[in-house]
Amino acid sequence: MTNLLEAREIFAGYGEMEILHGISIKAEMGKITCLIGPNGSGKSTLLATLFGLVKPRGGKIFFENQEITRQDPRHLLCRGMAFVLQRRSVFPQMTIVENLQLGAYLRRDAKIRQDIERVLSLFPALDKKRQLHAGALSGGEQRMLELARVMMLNPRLILLDEPSAGLAPKIVDSIFEQIYDLNQHGVTFVIVEQNVRKILNVASYGYLLAQGKIELEGECTELQRDSQLVKAYLK
Amino acid sequence: MYETILNGLLLGGVYALMAQGMALVWGVMNVVNIAHGALIVLGSYLTLWAFQYWGLDPIIAMPLSMVALFVFGYIIQRTLINRVVRAEIFFTLLVTFGLEILMMNLMAWGWTVDPRRVNPSYSFSGFSFGPLTIPLVRLVTFFVAIAITLLLFVFLQKTQTGRAIRATAQDLDAARLSGIPVVQIYGITYGIGAALAAAAGSLMAMLSSFTPYSGGPFTLKSFVICVLGGLGNAWGPLVGGLVLGVVEEVSSRWLGSTYRDAVSFGLLVLILLVRPSGLLGRRE
Ligand SMILES: Nc1ncnc2c1ncn2[C@@H]1O[C@H](COP(=O)(O)OP(=O)(O)OP(=O)(O)O)[C@@H](O)[C@H]1O
Ligand SMILES: [Mg+2]
């Protein structure tokens, strides 16, 4: 049981305001770890801190047992970490293929073209529309494209912020299937999610965040059994 | 009349090139570059230099002054303009206006304020086109301008750096999260903007005389063209430039050339009243 990512006692915030008050989490290699919690509890801030976008005031972060605290996103991308934002973040006036080419920006090898085909074969929904502008895609397809784009660097760990937000239930299912699929291909995930019932089915370990602290953690099967407790915190 | 319109189109092609650099910088980093005209004039002086001292044809000198201004622009962006990227419009205007004044004064000091012009051997030949006669320089400058516009388009569409520039304009955070070094991209974008200004300056040097203070009208024209055509892609400024060229030629035939610069200003006011999003731009 190895931890791909580990954060110890993270303190972070914006300006004077401290949002995270000593948070420790681990993401086991090959598994899906989830973060749940009410609005404004600091879930997105935690992901941003893990990815070097928010600089922590205290605590340490490790990736593959090497310290990465305060490294910038470019370094982390090169090391095999990726981050998909909570809000939509495709390049709207570019085609799917161009979006994927940009996902490979840090690569200098000659195999990018082949890799676009490989990634598109993982995302059949996008394959058919490869020459369409990303702005013309549905919300679910844009989410898929964001995932596909980060896959161009072959990350071992993807931080994913609310993949299901704003999508119809049927689409949400297909997104989770896609995540499950990528996980089967060996990608480790840390996922922030509001749809607690769904994510506890997919993930193996979970943390419940409230007001910048971990209030509850455990195997997702246990958390499902404690659903009353989980609900109480989410109110 | 046809001759006037044709002349306007030929001039408009150069105007379009003149505006491309401003449109690029504006669209990508939300900086309205008041110093753009001064960069064009600097390009004219570099071309004049190469012509006087080395006897280089302006078209041959153009790539050299483009490279020089690319480097200059990159350094200016990293040291100065980067402080106001995506800042409030007031600060971007203040900084680039200051840069314009500084450049104007340095150019006046270095080259005096005497009007100059670059006249290569072919500058007084005409070209017959059926019943129409067109000055050869207009034809040459037009085709060179269009060629550079096409090169710009291909660069933005087909190279990874070009894509990164467009990506940075479309979603800054997403660009950063894809590993695009956005600060460097801003520097390159401003450098390209300056290089395009240099190209336009080389061509304008053959079309009309210039002084260190000619930059103002160039900035105004570029601004009008950006507003006319929009900022989204290289075609907007092309259309805007052709329109401005024709309007200017036609109106200066009716009104006399004294009102040349007033015409672009009038056009600007008209466009802002009728179509605030530009001719090609979508309505918000
Ligand atoms: N860029 C920022 N600058 C200042 N404060 C911020 C910033 N981003 C978030 N905050 C504040 O930090 C707190 C935590 O926000 P965060 O986005 O991390 O919560 P969240 O758990 O992701 O919420 P949600 O479920 O709504 O996405 C909130 O009070 C928010 O207002
Ligand atoms: Mg959030």
Side-chain angles (χ1 to χ4, degrees), chain A residues 5 18 43 89 116 146-147 174 234:
Chain A
L5 183 80
E18 187 176 283
K43 306 182 296 293
S89 60
I116 288 176
E146 287 161 7
L147 268 175
S174 66
L234 290 182

Side-chain angles (χ1 to χ4, degrees), chain B residues 98-145:
Chain B
L99 180 61
E100 188 206 13
I101 291 176
L102 183 67
M103 284 182 65
M104 276 190 329
N105 284 311
L106 287 178
M107 286 191 288
W109 177 66
W111 280 290
T112 76
V113 296
D114 300 336
R116 310 292 180 99
R117 186 168 177 155
V118 181
N119 290 319
S121 54
Y122 48 87
S123 49
F124 302 107
S125 2
F127 192 84
S128 292
F129 204 66
L132 313 176
T133 307
I134 314 152
L136 185 60
V137 251
R138 289 225 168 183
L139 216 57
V140 170
T141 50
F142 175 79
F143 282 112
V144 172

Side-chain angles (χ1 to χ4, degrees), chain B residues 12 22 48 115 124 135 142 159 169 172 175 204 217 228 234 236 239 275:
Chain B
M22 180 187 261
L48 178 72
F124 302 107
F142 175 79
T159 68
L172 183 61
M204 285 307 291
L228 266 170
V239 173
R275 274 204 75 124

Side-chain angles (χ1 to χ4, degrees), chain A residues 51 53 74 77 85 87 89 91-94 98 101-102 105-106 149, chain B residues 157 160 163-164 166-167 170-171 173-175 177-181 185:
Chain A
F51 203 65
L53 294 168
R74 271 163 68 80
L77 285 166
L85 291 174
R87 66 168 179 86
S89 60
F91 300 118
Q93 278 121 269
M94 294 199 225
E98 286 180 303
Q101 281 168 323
L102 284 162
Y105 186 82
L106 288 173
R149 190 174 64 202
Chain B
Q157 287 299 318
Q160 192 71 326
R163 274 192 284 270
R166 287 186 291 141
Q170 289 176 26
D171 192 325
D173 291 329
L177 292 182
S178 303
I180 294 170
I185 289 293

Side-chain angles (χ1 to χ4, degrees), chain B residues 77-85 87 95:
Chain B
Q77 199 283 335
R78 292 300 292 264
T79 53
L80 192 66
I81 311 285
N82 202 39
R83 290 160 203 275
V84 294
V85 166
V95 166

